[in-house]
Amino acid sequence: MRNRQATRLLFELSKPGRRAARVPACDVPTGELGDLLPDAALADEPPPLPELGEPDIIRHFVNLSTLNMSVDTHFYPLGSCTMKYNPKRNERLASLPGLADVHPYQDPTTMQGLLALLFELQEMLAEIGGLDAVSLHPAAGAHGELTALLIAAAYFRDRAEPRTKVLIPDSAHGTNPASAAMAGFKAITVGSTSEGFVDLDDLNSKLGDDVAVLMITNPSTLGLFEPQIETICRRVHEVGGLVYLDGANMNAILGVTRPGDFGADMMHFNPHKTFSTPHGGGGPGAGPIAVRQQLEPYLPVPVLVRRDGRFVLEEDRPKSIGRVRSFFGNTGVLVRAYCYLRTLGPDGLRRVAENAVLNANYLLARVKHFLPVPHGDRCMHEFVASAQRLKQEKGITAMDIAKRLLDYGFHAPTVYFPLVVKEAVMIEPTETESKETLDAFVEALFRITEQSAESLHAAPHAAPINRPDEVRAARRPTLHWQPSDQSGEH
Amino acid sequence: MPYILNTDDDRREMLAAIGAASVDELFDSIPKNLRLDRPLDIPPACSEPELTADMERLAAQNIPAGRTVSFLGAGAYDHFVPAVVDTIASRSEYATSYTPYQPEVSQGNLQVLFEYQTLLTQLTGMDVSNASLYDGGSAVTEAVLMSLAAAPKRRRVVVAASVHPEYRQIMATYLENLDVSIDVLETPEGTVDAAMLAKTVRDDVACVVVQHPNFFGCLEETAALASVAHDAGALFVVSVDPISLGLLRRPGDYGADIVVAEGQSLGNPLSFGGPYLGLMACREAFLRRLPGRIAGQTTDREGRRCWVLTLQTREQHIRREKATSNICTNQGLMALRATVYLAAMGPHGMRELAELCVQKAHYAAAQVTGSPRWQAAFERPFFKEFVVRDRQGKVAAMLDEARESGVFAGVPLGRWYPQLDDCLLIAVTEKRTRGEIDRLAKLLSSSNSKRAMAHA
Ligand SMILES: Cc1ncc(COP(=O)(O)O)c(C=O)c1O
C-alpha cells in the first residue's frame, strides 16, 4: 500500500517548469533591479530549490505523514514526555485570526484581548505553581531553566554573593546540567539513595555558600514524590541558595500540591506536556516560568502588567536580566494552554492528576510481575521498569522491548533514561488513555518478554523500516541531499 | 471531563488491581502538610461553546493584520501563507507526534527534517543545517556561543548596531555570566563601515555578527565585512531574512561561517511573536559544534535508505553539561511549515517574491519621501524595509492618527535608538497593494493635523 513514488525526496520529485505558488502581479511602477540594488549583492541565479506542483507537494507530505506514529493514532507511553491527547478545540481557537495574526509590535491598545488572555494565563500559572510572578517568554522547558538560572545569577550578583555552583540530582534530565553550564555555573551532581531519592548526606556535603541553586525534579524522573522535599528545600535555603523545580512532571500533582508550597523558589512549566499542547514532532513547546516575589524584579523584559485597567508591556525594569528571546513568547502555544486550563478548571485539573496517577499505578501493578520496577510498588504519573534481569537471563534489552512494541502498534516507552536505572524502561500513560488501551499494552509487553532475544533483536518487523544503522549515520554524516546521490533509487 | 476515559467502574477495577482503597491513597507519598487543602483558584471549567464564545470575544478586541493595513516588520512579517502549508501542518501525524527518537515509526518527520536541512543548505549555500532553534533571536546567540567554543582564547564578540536590537539584548543576557565582552559597532549611516570594523576586530575577537538585510532594511557590504573578520581570524556570523535569499547572494558565497535567521516568514503566522523558528546553517568545519537536533541519512538492515537523528553526542541528553547547547524541544512543526512553504514557492516563486518585495518597498519609499515631511534616514540600498525620518519629529502622534484610519504605519525606532526617535521603520511585503501604499503615503504626508499638534 505504500506510495513509494510520492515519498521520494522532494529533490528527486523535482522537475524544471513545475511550480505550486504564484505571487501576485506587480501593481506598482517598477525600477530596474540593477538600479535599485548593487550588483554585488545580487545572486546570479535563484536558489537551487526543487520545483514541484501543488498535487506533488500534497501527496508527498500526506504520504510521509503516514510513516509517523502520533498521539492521535497510537498510545505513546513515553516517560517524562506526557504524551496526552491534544484537544482539537484548542487548535481551532488558537488559529482565530484575532489571535494568530497579531504582530508583536502592534500598539498594545490594539491587542488588549490577547494581552488580557496572556495576563490571565500568568495568573493561573502562578496559582498552579504556588508562586508569585510569571514570565511567559521561554520557548521550551530548557529555555525556562536557563532563564531562571540567569535570574538566580542576577539576584546573587545584586546581593554581592559570588555563588558559582548549581546542584543537580543524578536522575535529572540532561537539560538541567546543560542549562547550568550555559548560564555560567558549575554543574555538580548529587547522588541518589537506593530508593531513588536525593541522598541527603551527599547533598549536605555539597551545600555551602558557593551554591546558587539546587535544581530538582519532583515528582522525580523515577516517578516518585521526594518525601524529604521540605527538608531538602530548607537545607538549600539555610545556606542562602535557591530551589529550582523542573516542572516537567507537573501532571502528577496539579491541584494536589504546589511547588511554591513545598519550597521551590522558581520553576518552569512544559505546556506541551502538562497542558496538552501538541508536540509537533519535536516542537514548538513553551517554557513559562514562575518565581517567588523577591525574584520578580529580575524577570526578562518585556513584563506584561496591568496598569489602570490596561495591559501594558513594560520594558523599563532596571533589575531585569534583559531578554531571552525575540518578541514575547510562543504565544500560539500559550493560547492553547489557556484554552486547556479554561476547559478543565480547578476540579478538572485535579482529576487530570488523579487519573494520570491512577493509570500509571495500574500499569505498574500489572507490569511489575514480569518486568521489575526497582523503585517501589507505587508511583506518581510514571514509573521506571528495568530490563536488567531480562537482559542477564535472556539477553532481552530495553531497546528490544521498545522496538518490538512498535510492531504491536504501541509507541515505545522512553528507554535508557533516567541514567540511574539500568536498562530503564520509563512508562507514562497519562490520564487520557483508557483501561482497555492499558490492558492491551500490558498484554503486548508481557508477550514480548516471552519471546526469544534473537527475534527481538530484529524487531521491529512491521514498521515502515527496520532498525537503522545509527553508527553509519554518525560516522559518515549525510545531512542533506546532493544531486549526485543516487542511493534512493529503490 | 472531556479528555478522560476512565469510568467509575474502570477506576474501581483499577484500584482493586493496584490494591489501593482509593485514588487518594495513591498520593500518600506526598506529605499531608504539603497538600493543597482547597481547590485551585482559577476560573471554573467551561464547555466548548462557552470557551469558543469567550475566545471570540477576546480575539475581537485585537486588530489582526487582516483587519488593518500593516506596514509592521522589524523581524516579523505579514507574508502570504499558502493553504498547503496549513493543510499539511494540521495533520495529526505531524502535529501530535513526538521528537523522532524512534526512527522506525518516525520516518515521516525525519525525512521532513532531512528535506528541511537540504532546503536550508540550498537557500543559504552553507554546508550543513540543524533541524531548527527557538527563534531568530536566540539563534544569533547560539551562533555566538558556537564561535566562542571554536576559539576558546578569543573572548570578544563584535556585533553591529544594525543587528536587531532585541537579538543584541538576548546576546547580552546570555553572555552576562560568561567571561566575554560584547563590542557594539555603531552604524550611523545605516550600515557597517568596513574600515571601522577593521579597527575594532583584533585577534581576541571570536566572531563578527551582522544582519543582512539589516534591522533598518539596508544591505550590508557582506563580502568586505567577511574579509575583515577573516583577516583577524574571527568567524563571520550573518543573520539573514530568508525571503531575501530569493534574490540576494547566498551567505555561503560571500564567506559566512555561520548563518542564522528568523524563519517566521517561511509560512508561519505572526502569532504575536511565536512560535517561530530559528534557522541555523554553517560550514562543515563547525558541524560538531552545532546546537540542537540534526537528521542524517543511513540505511536499515535491508539496505533501505532511511533517516535518524544523528551526531547526538553534541546534545544535552548524552553530553549533559558539556553539550553544545541545552536545547531539547525545538520548533519541529514550524520547520515542517518552512519545508512545505519552500517546496511550494520553489526557486522561481522565491525569486519573484523577493523582487516583488523590493519593487513595492522602493515604490513605498519614493511615495513616502515624496512628501516634504519625510526623508530617507539612510542613503543605502534596501530590501523590503526602510527607515524614514519625520522632519516634524511627531512620529508617535502620526502613528496614532494612522492607526485610527486603519493603517499600522510602521515601527518607531526611538525605544531602541534614541538618535532615531523621529524615525519610522516601514516594511512592505508582497501583500501590500499599490492602493494601500498610496494610502500610507497620504496619511504620512498630512502634516500638522489637530491631533498631531495636541501630541507635540
Ligand atoms: C524532566 C525534564 N526536564 C526538562 C525537559 C526539557 O524540556 P523541553 O524539552 O521543553 O525543553 C524535559 C523534556 O524532555 C524533561 O522531561
Side-chain angles (χ1 to χ4, degrees):
Chain A
M1 264 260 300
R2 249 183 98 180
N3 184 343
R4 291 182 192 280
Q5 161 66 21
T7 54
R8 294 164 68 208
L9 287 166
L10 284 174
F11 319 98
E12 295 158 353
L13 294 168
S14 170
K15 190 163 188 181
R18 294 217 175 108
R19 63 187 299 182
R22 272 177 204 287
V23 302
C26 187
D27 61 352
V28 300
T30 58
E32 279 297 321
L33 260 188
D35 296 340
L36 303 178
L37 302 178
D39 264 354
L42 298 176
D44 300 330
E45 307 272 332
L49 302 170
E51 298 181 57
L52 301 133
E54 184 163 329
D56 281 341
I57 291 173
I58 289 297
R59 198 166 278 169
H60 174 74
F61 288 105
V62 171
N63 271 289
L64 273 187
S65 79
T66 65
L67 306 180
N68 287 342
M69 277 189 175
S70 68
V71 168
D72 281 359
T73 55
H74 294 85
F75 177 39
Y76 231 100
L78 203 55
S80 208
C81 301
T82 316
M83 296 297 283
K84 62 170 74 178
Y85 173 69
N86 310 137
K88 301 312 161 202
R89 68 192 67 170
N90 304 354
E91 298 303 308
R92 175 196 275 184
L93 297 173
S95 62
L96 288 173
L99 301 170
D101 296 340
V102 171
H103 191 282
Y105 292 142
Q106 281 182 216
D107 193 275
T109 58
T110 65
M111 51 176 169
Q112 286 292 304
L114 177 58
L115 295 182
L117 179 162
L118 294 171
F119 186 82
E120 199 186 332
L121 178 62
Q122 288 182 174
E123 301 209 302
M124 288 195 275
L125 294 178
E127 166 69 4
I128 292 166
L131 289 162
D132 302 306
V134 166
S135 170
L136 299 177
H137 289 232
H143 202 211
E145 294 167 15
L146 174 64
T147 305
L149 291 174
L150 292 170
I151 287 173
Y155 170 78
F156 288 120
R157 199 176 321 115
D158 225 15
R159 297 164 61 97
E161 295 178 32
R163 293 172 181 259
T164 53
K165 293 182 181 162
V166 169
L167 305 187
I168 302 168
D170 54 10
S171 57
H173 195 262
T175 50
N176 290 193
S179 299
M182 248 176 130
F185 290 108
K186 213 167 149 186
I188 309 281
T189 304
V190 179
S192 308
T193 62
S194 56
E195 294 93 57
F197 301 122
V198 171
D199 181 340
L200 273 182
D201 292 336
D202 194 37
L203 175 69
N204 281 330
S205 74
K206 286 166 179 164
L207 276 176
D209 60 8
D210 56 353
V211 169
V213 178
L214 167 75
M215 297 180 87
I216 190 160
T217 311
N218 188 35
S220 70
T221 59
L222 291 165
L224 304 174
F225 194 91
E226 180 60 64
Q228 307 257 39
I229 188 67
E230 251 187 316
T231 311
I232 292 170
C233 294
R234 188 165 13 91
R235 295 270 163 84
V236 175
H237 290 148
E238 278 165 5
V239 300
L242 296 169
V243 175
Y244 181 82
L245 179 95
D246 178 332
N249 296 338
M250 283 301 288
N251 214 42
I253 57 171
L254 291 170
V256 176
T257 179
R258 307 188 304 170
D261 295 344
F262 60 67
D265 304 296
M266 326 181 265
M267 67 172 294
H268 75 254
F269 294 90
N270 300 74
H272 45 302
K273 303 177 195 272
T274 315
F275 302 135
S276 82
T277 74
H279 273 85
I289 55 167
V291 301
R292 252 185 233 294
Q293 199 66 52
Q294 75 263 31
L295 299 171
E296 196 241 14
Y298 305 93
L299 288 179
V301 286
V303 179
L304 172 57
V305 293
R306 181 159 41 191
R307 297 252 179 275
D308 308 323
R310 308 291 291 170
F311 297 99
V312 293
L313 294 164
E314 251 181 24
E315 292 274 356
D316 186 20
R317 310 265 298 190
K319 292 194 175 206
S320 164
I321 56 167
R323 274 195 166 271
V324 293
R325 59 162 298 143
S326 2
F327 310 120
F328 184 81
N330 276 358
T331 309
V333 176
L334 299 168
V335 169
R336 288 169 173 84
Y338 174 87
C339 291
Y340 183 73
L341 293 174
R342 289 287 314 274
T343 299
L344 295 197
D347 298 339
L349 279 189
R350 199 187 152 101
R351 255 174 292 161
V352 164
E354 289 173 358
N355 285 278
V357 170
L358 176 67
N359 281 358
N361 276 283
Y362 177 67
L363 275 186
L364 167 60
R366 296 207 51 197
V367 163
K368 67 182 180 195
H369 302 297
F370 55 89
L371 200 60
V373 177
H375 295 100
D377 270 358
R378 291 282 166 88
C379 64
M380 298 299 287
H381 63 300
E382 68 191 359
F383 62 93
V384 182
S386 168
Q388 179 70 358
R389 206 179 67 201
L390 269 179
K391 186 178 172 188
Q392 282 162 354
E393 291 173 3
K394 293 180 160 183
I396 298 175
T397 66
M399 188 60 80
D400 292 333
I401 294 172
K403 297 300 184 193
R404 185 67 175 138
L405 274 168
L406 307 175
D407 284 334
Y408 289 87
F410 296 106
H411 194 277
T414 298
V415 288
Y416 302 104
F417 175 77
L419 310 177
V420 293
V421 175
K422 289 204 174 116
E423 294 296 318
V425 179
M426 187 192 209
I427 299 175
E428 177 179 16
T430 84
E431 75 283 5
T432 62
E433 296 299 332
S434 67
K435 179 170 176 296
E436 293 81 354
T437 299
L438 303 183
D439 286 339
F441 175 73
V442 172
E443 178 110 339
L445 201 55
F446 176 70
R447 279 212 255 153
I448 292 168
T449 61
E450 301 276 280
Q451 291 167 5
S452 81
E454 211 161 274
S455 77
L456 292 177
H457 293 334
H461 304 286
I465 57 164
N466 56 35
R467 288 191 211 187
D469 186 345
E470 313 235 5
V471 174
R472 172 185 155 147
R475 218 168 262 162
R476 289 194 284 131
T478 302
L479 309 177
H480 57 91
W481 175 85
Q482 276 169 327
S484 57
D485 185 357
Q486 297 302 313
S487 60
E489 305 301 327
H490 291 278
Chain B
M1 254 308 290
Y3 316 128
I4 289 176
L5 299 169
N6 291 334
T7 63
D8 287 343
D9 280 347
D10 290 333
R11 271 186 279 272
R12 263 191 300 277
E13 283 176 40
M14 292 162 81
L15 284 170
I18 295 165
S22 67
V23 170
D24 261 4
E25 191 191 308
L26 303 177
F27 289 87
D28 274 354
S29 61
I30 303 180
K32 287 261 171 340
N33 63 316
L34 301 181
R35 311 258 190 105
L36 190 65
D37 56 3
R38 57 166 176 84
L40 285 169
D41 184 12
I42 63 171
C46 67
S47 66
E48 184 172 354
E50 290 164 308
L51 178 66
T52 302
D54 251 21
M55 294 296 285
E56 282 171 348
R57 182 182 51 79
L58 286 167
Q61 292 167 24
N62 312 312
I63 303 180
R67 275 183 45 216
T68 182
V69 178
S70 176
F71 293 92
L72 303 180
Y77 301 94
D78 182 25
H79 286 291
F80 185 77
V81 179
V84 287
V85 176
D86 287 328
T87 300
I88 296 301
S90 58
R91 278 192 73 89
S92 290
E93 299 90 332
Y94 290 122
T96 76
S97 57
Y98 192 71
T99 306
Y101 287 130
Q102 294 294 333
E104 296 87 347
V105 291
S106 313
Q107 282 300 300
N109 281 329
L110 284 161
Q111 186 174 331
V112 167
L113 292 180
F114 186 79
E115 291 176 345
Y116 165 87
Q117 292 168 189
T118 304
L119 291 165
L120 280 204
T121 59
Q122 294 174 338
L123 199 60
T124 61
M126 303 302 288
D127 300 328
V128 286
S129 160
N130 77 359
S132 80
L133 295 170
Y134 299 139
D135 67 354
S138 63
V140 172
T141 295
E142 290 278 10
V144 167
L145 294 173
M146 270 172 85
S147 309
L148 288 163
K153 295 228 170 71
R154 294 170 177 256
R155 305 314 282 171
R156 267 174 74 218
V157 173
V158 175
V159 54
S162 53
V163 169
H164 196 308
E166 290 193 355
Y167 299 1
R168 289 186 280 117
Q169 288 168 351
I170 298 165
M171 198 185 299
T173 303
Y174 271 58
L175 297 183
E176 176 74 36
N177 309 309
L178 310 180
D179 182 23
V180 175
S181 65
I182 303 174
D183 283 17
V184 178
L185 189 71
E186 293 306 323
T187 52
E189 306 298 328
T191 57
V192 177
D193 180 291
M196 249 175 72
L197 179 67
K199 280 191 209 131
T200 316
V201 183
R202 283 185 297 273
D203 64 2
D204 58 347
V205 171
C207 63
V208 171
V209 184
V210 306
Q211 186 174 327
H212 172 70
N214 69 25
F215 180 68
F216 307 123
C218 302
L219 304 189
E220 297 282 359
E221 290 173 347
T222 45
L225 304 182
S227 309
V228 172
H230 291 157
D231 286 349
L235 300 188
F236 189 53
V237 175
V238 193
S239 172
V240 299
D241 171 354
I243 299 296
S244 74
L245 296 177
L247 190 59
L248 301 186
R249 271 175 83 196
R250 301 187 303 166
D253 299 335
Y254 56 68
D257 296 294
I258 306 172
V259 178
V260 290
E262 173 53 70
Q264 176 265 334
S265 291
L266 303 176
N268 292 280
L270 287 165
S271 195
F272 188 53
Y276 292 174
L277 72 158
L279 315 185
M280 177 177 267
C282 68
R283 289 203 289 115
E284 184 92 42
F286 307 110
L287 170 60
R288 278 162 210 277
R289 299 195 189 280
L290 265 181
R293 298 174 184 141
I294 302 176
Q297 182 174 309
T298 186
T299 47
D300 78 354
R301 289 181 181 169
E302 284 167 38
R304 285 176 291 202
R305 178 174 65 169
C306 60
W307 291 275
V308 294
L309 291 179
T310 193
L311 303 176
Q312 296 192 48
T313 51
R314 298 165 298 108
E315 290 187 74
Q316 45 74 29
H317 61 283
I318 310 277
R319 197 53 71 78
R320 298 175 83 82
E321 67 271 17
K322 297 201 174 64
T324 54
S325 166
N326 67 339
I327 191 168
C328 176
T329 290
N330 61 9
Q331 303 290 118
L333 197 67
M334 279 56 231
L336 168 69
R337 295 183 71 96
T339 306
V340 179
Y341 181 86
L342 287 169
M345 296 302 289
H348 305 292
M350 286 300 281
R351 167 64 59 112
E352 288 165 19
L353 174 62
E355 281 188 21
L356 200 50
C357 292
V358 169
Q359 295 291 356
K360 292 198 170 200
H362 283 76
Y363 175 74
Q367 294 308 106
V368 171
T369 56
S371 141
R373 178 172 168 179
W374 298 90
Q375 81 184 108
F378 305 118
E379 299 296 332
R380 288 284 183 274
F382 60 92
F383 178 63
K384 69 180 181 197
E385 240 171 334
F386 55 92
V387 180
V388 287
R389 188 182 297 276
D390 180 4
R391 290 197 171 95
Q392 296 177 9
K394 290 170 190 156
V395 167
M398 184 280 303
L399 284 172
D400 288 350
E401 213 179 332
R403 196 163 58 241
E404 280 177 19
S405 311
V407 175
F408 290 169
V411 176
L413 295 183
R415 72 198 249 202
W416 297 299
Y417 301 91
Q419 71 280 19
L420 300 179
D421 72 346
D422 51 354
C423 288
L424 194 61
L425 179 64
I426 296 177
V428 190
T429 68
E430 78 282 8
K431 285 174 75 176
R432 297 290 73 82
T433 63
R434 179 174 188 169
E436 291 170 344
I437 295 170
D438 291 344
R439 213 168 120 205
L440 170 77
K442 192 145 168 256
L443 274 169
L444 295 200
S445 66
S446 64
S447 54
N448 277 334
S449 74
K450 283 209 192 79
R451 278 189 61 95
M453 296 298 281
H455 271 272

